[in-house]
Amino acid sequence: MESKHLWQLISFYLSTTLALLRHLVLHILTLNQSPFIIKFMDLILSVYFRLCNLIPCAVDLDDQTTIHFWVTNHRRFDRPSLVMIHGYGGNPLWQFVYQVGPLSRRFNLYIPDLLFFGKSHSKSPFRSEFFQAKCLSDGLKRIGVDRFSVYAISYGGFVAYRMAEIRPDAVEKVAIVSSGLSFTDEQRDQQLRTIGRHPSEILVPKKPDDLRLLVNLSTFKQSTLKWVPDFLLRQFITLMYDHCRKEKIELADYLVKKKADPNLHVLTQALG
């Protein structure tokens, strides 16, 4: 009789333990399918930006378009203003994490989310870098930034160039890094043939290997994401690229289809 009760007790504990393990495994799998970890890292980065004396700010340009900025809290008028414009590799929290600390000690910083990235959005059908540049310029005006320099990378370089072109009175200096502004049509076509993929498939990745290819093409050290698990890369893609995916692809398609300008306007600002 005692052995029967003992077996029942053991069976109860085993079934309870297995049920708890099953629930735990399902919970972990659910976390892997949602961008929980990347959202947490995004939160940590936003806390770091705040520690660098930056605060979030949303500017409604009209009833269609809103631009989100990270801006210096309590700007100092003895410091120059610097606008930092990101590219396709996520939002500015991820792209400028290494630069924002040192630069925040020497500049009043204004770091926008480009339209359809982060928290900036628009109902407008326009997808050109001119429209992006005008919206950023108008947003800066609204928050009282009349004179500034611009640092931009990748796609942000196209936007920065147009800002300097249409606002020579406002833009003091320009530094554009890793951007294809001066590509000829032949150079662009050759690069696309070498890659063997449509640019939007790389710039707006769907799969972990697409994201790895984007990073490998953008950085000197090509093994940057080699050891990052696929489930983390999928979470990053979900958070950074699935939001406004259609609009992001349209931005890339606009640049690819546009003919190269052999007579680019020469900027009067000092270039870095």
Side-chain angles (χ1 to χ4, degrees), residues 121-151:
H121 55 86
S122 178
K123 296 178 182 177
S124 169
F126 299 118
R127 299 292 180 262
S128 71
E129 74 275 20
F130 287 97
F131 183 65
Q132 293 268 15
K134 183 180 184 306
C135 289
L136 292 193
S137 297
D138 291 348
L140 290 165
K141 278 185 183 179
R142 296 284 184 90
I143 57 178
V145 184
D146 298 318
R147 297 281 291 173
F148 54 90
S149 296
V150 185
Y151 166 76

Side-chain angles (χ1 to χ4, degrees), residues 87-184:
Y88 260 87
N91 62 36
L93 293 173
W94 293 77
Q95 293 211 344
F96 296 134
V97 62
Y98 296 114
Q99 294 86 5
V100 72
L103 290 175
S104 66
R105 295 190 286 270
R106 300 187 61 184
F107 296 91
N108 295 314
L109 294 181
Y110 301 91
I111 310 177
D113 292 339
L114 288 170
L115 287 175
F116 312 118
F117 294 83
K119 297 179 181 178
S120 294
H121 55 86
S122 178
K123 296 178 182 177
S124 169
F126 299 118
R127 299 292 180 262
S128 71
E129 74 275 20
F130 287 97
F131 183 65
Q132 293 268 15
K134 183 180 184 306
C135 289
L136 292 193
S137 297
D138 291 348
L140 290 165
K141 278 185 183 179
R142 296 284 184 90
I143 57 178
V145 184
D146 298 318
R147 297 281 291 173
F148 54 90
S149 296
V150 185
Y151 166 76
I153 60 175
S154 186
Y155 174 69
F158 290 88
V159 180
Y161 175 86
R162 297 306 177 188
M163 288 178 70
E165 185 181 35
I166 65 179
R167 291 290 311 281
D169 58 317
V171 179
E172 297 176 325
K173 296 181 180 180
V174 182
I176 295 174
V177 180
S178 300
S179 189
L181 270 170
S182 58
F183 262 21
T184 65

Side-chain angles (χ1 to χ4, degrees), residues 178-196:
S178 300
S179 189
L181 270 170
S182 58
F183 262 21
T184 65
D185 289 333
E186 291 76 17
Q187 289 172 325
R188 182 181 58 193
D189 292 343
Q190 177 60 42
Q191 181 72 6
L192 294 178
R193 284 194 295 269
T194 301
I195 297 172

Side-chain angles (χ1 to χ4, degrees), residues 21 23 28 41 44 88 91 97 100 122 176 179 187 189-190 196 199 218 221 225 252 258 265 269:
L21 285 173
H23 178 75
I28 292 173
M41 294 172 67
I44 296 298
Y88 260 87
N91 62 36
V97 62
V100 72
S122 178
I176 295 174
S179 189
Q187 289 172 325
D189 292 343
Q190 177 60 42
S218 307
K221 294 183 178 180
L225 298 183
K258 190 177 74 169
H265 174 74
Q269 296 89 340

Side-chain angles (χ1 to χ4, degrees), residues 9-147:
L9 187 62
I10 293 173
S11 298
F12 171 77
Y13 281 119
L14 282 174
S15 60
T16 303
T17 302
L18 289 173
L20 289 173
L21 285 173
R22 180 176 177 274
H23 178 75
L24 180 61
V25 169
L26 289 175
H27 183 64
I28 292 173
L29 290 174
T30 301
L31 287 180
N32 286 347
Q33 291 172 359
S34 68
F36 172 79
I37 297 175
I38 301 300
K39 280 185 177 180
F40 179 73
M41 294 172 67
D42 205 60
L43 176 62
I44 296 298
L45 291 176
S46 67
V47 170
Y48 175 67
F49 268 48
R50 288 179 183 272
L51 292 175
C52 294
N53 195 35
L54 297 173
I55 58 173
C57 169
V59 180
D60 294 325
L61 301 182
D62 50 40
D63 60 352
Q64 288 195 319
T65 303
T66 297
I67 300 290
H68 178 271
F69 291 89
W70 283 94
V71 303
T72 293
N73 192 19
H74 305 301
R75 82 177 73 171
R76 289 178 50 173
F77 291 97
D78 60 336
R79 291 180 177 178
S81 295
L82 177 65
V83 177
M84 302 175 69
I85 307 178
H86 66 89
Y88 260 87
N91 62 36
L93 293 173
W94 293 77
Q95 293 211 344
F96 296 134
V97 62
Y98 296 114
Q99 294 86 5
V100 72
L103 290 175
S104 66
R105 295 190 286 270
R106 300 187 61 184
F107 296 91
N108 295 314
L109 294 181
Y110 301 91
I111 310 177
D113 292 339
L114 288 170
L115 287 175
F116 312 118
F117 294 83
K119 297 179 181 178
S120 294
H121 55 86
S122 178
K123 296 178 182 177
S124 169
F126 299 118
R127 299 292 180 262
S128 71
E129 74 275 20
F130 287 97
F131 183 65
Q132 293 268 15
K134 183 180 184 306
C135 289
L136 292 193
S137 297
D138 291 348
L140 290 165
K141 278 185 183 179
R142 296 284 184 90
I143 57 178
V145 184
D146 298 318
R147 297 281 291 173

